[in-house]
Amino acid sequence: MSAAPLVVLVGPMGVGKSTVGQLLAERFGVSYRDTDDDIVAEQGRSIAEIFVEEGESAFRAIEKQAVHRALAEHTGILALGGGAILDADTRAALAGLRVVYLSMDVEEAVKRTGLNAARPLLAVNPRKQWRELMEARRHLYEEIATAVVATDGRTPEEVTQVALDALELKEA
């Protein structure tokens, strides 16, 4: 891989990867890219529509391609979809990169996302499903993370600064 992102952000849906990613990109004077946005642009439909029309496994295959393409092409700040780390090849591709896991607890998730129906994996009993998703994914996020940054009760600017401090990166 010749190109590599400066920083890769991972974490659950609604944790603030897009917001923090854009702030980090501004601080470093680099571009920001989100693989979920790549998928929507490439597929011409929302992620929720892909889930409904083709199912989760089809979405994960599309997501894996988008993530690997972005890892190979993008040199700025990259945010991955919440479930991208479920794929072992993706986790392997993240090895050696600066990966920040943005974490939050379920109460923060409720406040931020309302755990709404636009999140296809949380359609029924959102709090319970969010907890189960996090139980299945937390160790994977932690396994690949260079730094773990709790977002609970912090502004996006505070999260950005904590991430910078944790990575010991200097701004442009």
Side-chain angles (χ1 to χ4, degrees), residues 82-170:
I85 49 81
L86 294 171
D87 181 75
D89 292 337
T90 295
R91 291 194 307 276
L94 292 169
L97 300 179
R98 286 186 202 96
V99 178
V100 176
Y101 162 34
L102 300 179
S103 69
M104 68 179 167
D105 67 21
V106 70
E107 296 312 316
E108 190 78 8
V110 169
K111 277 192 276 187
R112 290 187 191 192
T113 67
L115 296 180
N116 61 35
R119 310 285 187 173
L121 290 178
L122 301 177
V124 180
N125 196 343
R127 283 175 190 247
K128 178 176 183 272
Q129 288 181 297
W130 193 89
R131 281 193 186 96
E132 288 172 1
L133 277 176
M134 284 310 299
E135 284 169 21
R137 295 176 180 181
R138 185 174 288 110
H139 71 284
L140 299 174
Y141 289 133
E142 291 171 350
E143 170 189 315
I144 58 157
T146 308
V148 178
V149 177
T151 64
D152 306 86
R154 288 180 166 151
T155 66
E157 292 76 14
E158 290 168 335
V159 172
T160 301
Q161 189 57 55
V162 172
L164 287 169
D165 293 345
L167 293 171
E168 297 179 349
L169 290 172
K170 303 295 175 242

Side-chain angles (χ1 to χ4, degrees), residues 13 46-52 55-56 59-60 116-124 129 133:
M13 56 192 89
S46 73
I47 289 171
E49 288 171 315
I50 298 168
F51 264 85
V52 169
E56 183 175 0
F59 170 75
R60 294 294 173 209
N116 61 35
R119 310 285 187 173
L121 290 178
L122 301 177
V124 180
Q129 288 181 297
L133 277 176

